[in-house]
């Protein structure tokens, strides 16, 4: 192996890609694969964390309850393993379907159990400082539905402000991919759910190509923040 190759290996950055969907054939999984390819092309080593495939249990256990008198508590082996994966990552991308303007239960449980006291918060010098995060959420609401703006605000408040800022991450952003369903969804003035006709043929292909471009655009924006920081 050449000295150049050794240097490249020594400086390889790691991207932790967290997937929160039970079906490997889902649009969420597809977007996660696009994300990993983009990050790989940018020189990142990928640590793929498929929460369902790895049978992550989102329920809090006694072993993982925070001890407010001991910020150096050793948590369960599963949680400690996930903590090490987060610490090893330079950037983190979570890809998930949006449920009720929130992340799915399995992703919320991952945050509750792993982003725990003494690890992600509770120290004068945050352990996650310097890391950058993208929350890539897929929503069924049509792009032109007024709820999309409210959804963006709600997710940003929860994820950028309530979690990433609180835990000292250097950068956090929500990339909301509305229009993920084949039948665009929207609410009328009375709050009734309206479903458009299912997208087909060239219209469907163009729709999802545009969604893929938006997803890649969010990843590129994340990569740009890393380059600026360096």
């Amino acid at each position: 192996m050449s000295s150049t190759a050794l240097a490249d290996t020594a400086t390889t950055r790691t991207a932790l890609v967290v997937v929160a969907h039970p079906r490997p054939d889902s649009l969420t999984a597809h977007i996660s694969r696009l994300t990993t390819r983009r990050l790989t092309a940018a020189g990142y080593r990928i640590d793929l964390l498929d929460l369902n495939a790895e049978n992550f249990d989102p329920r809090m256990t006694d072993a993982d309850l925070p001890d407010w008198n001991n910020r150096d508590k050793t948590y369960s082996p599963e949680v400690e393993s996930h903590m090490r994966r987060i610490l090893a990552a330079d950037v983190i991308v979570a890809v998930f379907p949006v449920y009720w303007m929130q992340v799915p239960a399995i992703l919320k449980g991952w945050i509750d159990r792993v982003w725990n006291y003494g690890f992600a918060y509770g120290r004068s010098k945050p352990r996650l400082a310097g890391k950058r995060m993208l929350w890539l959420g897929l929503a069924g609401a049509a792009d032109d539905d007024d709820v999309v703006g409210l959804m963006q605000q709600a997710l940003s408040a929860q994820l950028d402000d309530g979690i990433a800022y609180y835990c000292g991450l250097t950068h956090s952003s929500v990339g909301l991919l509305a229009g993920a369903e084949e039948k665009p969804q929207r609410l009328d003035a009375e709050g009734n759910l309206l479903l458009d006709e299912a997208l087909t043929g060239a219209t469907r292909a163009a729709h999802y190509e545009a969604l893929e471009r938006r997803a890649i655009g969010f990843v590129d924006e994340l990569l740009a923040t890393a380059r600026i920081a360096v």
Side-chain angles (χ1 to χ4, degrees):
M1 183 180 292
S2 68
S3 59
T4 301
L6 285 171
D8 290 344
T9 301
T11 58
T12 296
R13 295 164 294 179
T14 296
L16 177 64
V17 179
V18 185
V19 185
H21 198 291
R23 292 206 327 264
D25 62 345
S26 64
L27 182 59
T28 299
H30 173 67
I31 294 298
S32 74
R33 289 189 287 270
L34 289 180
T35 298
T36 58
R37 287 201 291 269
R38 197 68 163 190
L39 291 166
T40 299
Y44 283 84
R45 182 187 73 85
I46 304 299
D47 179 7
L48 180 62
L49 171 53
D50 186 326
L51 292 171
N52 286 276
E54 295 194 17
N55 293 316
F56 180 80
D57 188 347
R59 297 171 299 180
M60 181 60 77
T61 65
D62 287 340
D64 295 322
L65 285 173
D67 181 348
W68 306 117
N69 296 313
N70 179 19
R71 68 181 186 183
D72 295 312
K73 173 181 175 176
T74 299
Y75 293 98
S76 68
E78 181 182 32
V79 163
E80 290 284 339
S81 172
H82 283 255
M83 288 176 173
R84 289 192 293 271
R85 292 171 76 171
I86 292 173
L87 287 177
D90 299 282
V91 300
I92 305 166
V93 181
V95 190
F96 58 93
V98 178
Y99 295 159
W100 300 106
M101 296 196 184
Q102 300 178 31
V103 300
I106 196 167
L107 181 55
K108 180 59 165 61
W110 182 69
I111 295 165
D112 290 345
R113 288 185 64 200
V114 180
W115 296 51
N116 214 322
Y117 175 68
F119 169 68
Y121 68 96
R123 293 181 178 274
S124 56
K125 184 177 180 181
R127 286 182 170 176
L128 305 188
K131 300 186 185 302
R132 292 162 179 78
M133 181 140 194
L134 171 62
W135 308 87
L136 203 50
L138 287 80
D143 295 309
D144 59 355
D145 193 323
D146 291 340
V147 77
V148 172
L150 297 174
M151 193 178 296
Q152 179 76 44
Q153 294 173 21
L155 288 168
S156 182
Q158 296 170 47
L159 305 176
D160 294 332
D161 301 328
I163 297 175
Y165 174 78
Y166 191 74
C167 294
L169 273 72
T170 297
H171 171 85
S172 176
S173 61
V174 173
L176 182 58
L177 298 170
E181 296 288 347
E182 291 188 343
K183 291 185 177 182
Q185 306 172 9
R186 56 177 54 81
L187 296 177
D188 65 14
E190 285 73 40
N192 298 308
L193 178 65
L194 306 178
L195 295 178
D196 292 351
E197 292 295 323
L199 300 172
T200 59
T203 301
R204 182 183 185 279
H207 176 81
Y208 285 108
E209 286 172 3
L211 187 142
E212 290 176 354
R213 287 194 298 272
R214 296 207 311 271
I216 293 301
F218 288 130
V219 176
D220 287 345
E221 289 173 6
L222 175 69
L223 294 173
T225 65
R227 287 193 293 271
I228 291 171
V230 172

